[in-house]
Amino acid sequence: MALRLLQHRAENGARSVIFADGGEAHFLTGVATTRELAESAIAQGISLAAAARAATKGIAVDIAAELAAGNLLAPIDHADPAHLLMTGTGLTHLGSAEGRNKMHAAAAAGEKLTDSMRMFLEGLEGGKPAAGAVGQQPEWFYKGNGFGLVAPGEAFTMPAFAQDGGEEPELAGIYLIGTDGTPFRLGFALANEFSDHITERHNYLWLAHSKLRQASLGAELLIDETPEDVRGTSLIRRDGAVIWEKPFLSGEANMSHSIANLEHHHFKYELFRNPGDIHVHFFGTATLSFSDDIATQEGDVFEIAAAPFTLPLANGLSRADAVNVAVKAL
């Protein structure tokens, strides 16, 4: 049964970690955050799962009830949100080029392949190298830092200038950089890598702009396995009714790249190996409501669910007020 860690905040603000093993969940005593537990595991030279098992278990807890009460946070965070980096890779899933290619097809003529299709085919050919070898590098993007990480159950706030707010159901890898610069993978979380697809469709060189949006993680951090075949459902509710629903696939069995290859091409850069930093890396998707011509509206609710995670990830959609930003010369 899957082992998961969750972060809890009580009404008085007190933080704690929940350890879920199969259908049972308990508060852990003596530890307040996932990051704290991970730092202890690194110092002891043991796995995060072993550290969680060894920690003193407190009272039992109903994690579904805690999620409904709004007491569960993202399963990872940092005391200084600027030291939590959100990044991602795209065109990594079998079939993921279809939706992207639709958006970018207008930029190509005749039989000429779009850059998206070329990158997808290169990943299909070289994204799963033999052990010890370096494979084809993927598309990569910067998403933001911890200030843009939205808790499960909370609404996304798209900027006033956003042209779209669309869901992207994904897996995210969660990493802590050790004191010697070693990236340690803590586990995987269900994620909504929320993006602006209309901005991207206008010109694929605006992909970087389209990704500078908030994102959300499901409450559970899967710590004992690398998901091989993840099958879930992504849906949108409007005024309580489901207006779009579609299955999505993830995990290495459904990807054109291996997780190890994606990790290598992220952490090969020294600036991403700063001791103490947290990294949330989104591994991509092949399923978008935007590809089915769904136009989201303020008030819509996105919901993603997939085993082995037991809790869904739900986020509403809102829009920020316009802000006039003026630069002052000193």
Side-chain angles (χ1 to χ4, degrees):
M1 298 292 285
L3 304 181
R4 291 102 63 212
L5 292 176
L6 304 88
Q7 295 198 121
H8 182 275
R9 182 169 57 200
E11 291 185 4
N12 64 2
R15 294 278 300 266
S16 55
V17 175
I18 298 171
F19 178 48
D21 184 354
E24 297 184 354
H26 295 79
F27 285 105
L28 297 181
T29 61
V31 61
T33 68
T34 300
R35 181 169 178 259
E36 182 183 344
L37 184 64
E39 289 173 335
S40 175
I42 293 171
Q44 296 178 69
I46 61 176
S47 69
L48 184 56
R53 287 190 183 278
T56 303
K57 295 175 179 58
I59 63 172
V61 56
D62 182 338
I63 58 176
E66 294 299 326
L67 178 66
N71 295 331
L72 298 183
L73 307 172
I76 191 67
D77 57 0
H78 197 290
D80 180 357
H83 284 278
L84 186 153
L85 301 180
M86 297 195 297
T87 56
T89 46
L91 297 169
T92 53
H93 283 61
L94 302 174
S96 63
E98 179 184 359
R100 182 73 66 81
N101 213 46
K102 286 181 180 178
M103 290 192 280
H104 299 174
E111 297 181 1
K112 180 182 176 182
L113 291 176
T114 65
D115 287 339
S116 292
M117 185 58 76
R118 287 177 55 228
M119 183 168 289
F120 173 74
L121 293 175
E122 288 171 357
L124 197 62
E125 180 178 353
K128 292 185 175 180
V134 175
Q136 180 68 31
Q137 69 178 2
E139 175 193 52
W140 181 95
F141 59 85
Y142 173 70
K143 184 141 189 81
N145 60 26
F147 289 103
L149 186 58
V150 175
E154 293 187 356
F156 291 122
T157 304
M158 57 182 173
F161 56 79
Q163 299 184 60
D164 171 54
E167 86 299 333
E168 295 205 14
E170 306 189 16
L171 284 179
I174 310 300
Y175 306 86
L176 170 63
I177 310 301
T179 56
D180 64 350
T182 300
F184 288 89
R185 186 202 306 132
L186 308 188
F188 298 89
L190 197 61
N192 189 336
E193 194 267 292
F194 177 72
S195 300
D196 186 336
H197 301 108
I198 293 179
T199 291
E200 180 189 353
R201 182 178 63 181
H202 175 79
N203 188 317
Y204 74 95
L205 295 177
W206 284 2
L207 172 71
H209 292 274
S210 75
K211 293 298 186 182
L212 290 175
R213 299 292 185 270
Q214 294 177 326
S216 186
L217 298 176
E220 300 165 289
L221 177 65
L222 186 69
I223 62 172
D224 64 332
E225 60 183 89
T226 299
E228 178 67 19
D229 183 16
V230 174
R231 297 169 182 264
T233 302
S234 179
L235 61 83
I236 300 175
R237 299 183 192 275
R238 181 172 296 163
D239 298 325
V242 176
I243 63 164
W244 177 85
E245 182 174 4
K246 203 165 189 176
F248 75 93
L249 303 175
S250 193
E252 284 198 0
N254 304 297
M255 295 172 65
S256 53
H257 286 261
S258 65
I259 297 295
N261 190 53
L262 301 179
E263 291 172 337
H264 166 79
H265 286 294
H266 177 67
F267 291 111
K268 68 184 181 183
Y269 295 101
E270 186 176 1
L271 76 161
F272 295 145
R273 303 195 302 272
N274 183 52
D277 281 359
I278 292 290
H279 287 254
V280 175
H281 193 75
F282 300 92
F283 290 122
T285 188
T287 305
L288 304 172
S289 65
F290 185 79
S291 297
D292 292 336
D293 299 320
I294 298 297
T296 60
Q297 300 177 8
E298 294 171 55
D300 287 352
V301 176
F302 307 110
E303 186 173 313
I304 302 168
F309 303 97
T310 66
L311 300 178
L313 171 60
N315 302 97
L317 180 61
S318 63
R319 184 181 292 270
D321 294 333
V323 177
N324 183 24
V325 179
V327 176
K328 294 183 177 180
L330 287 178

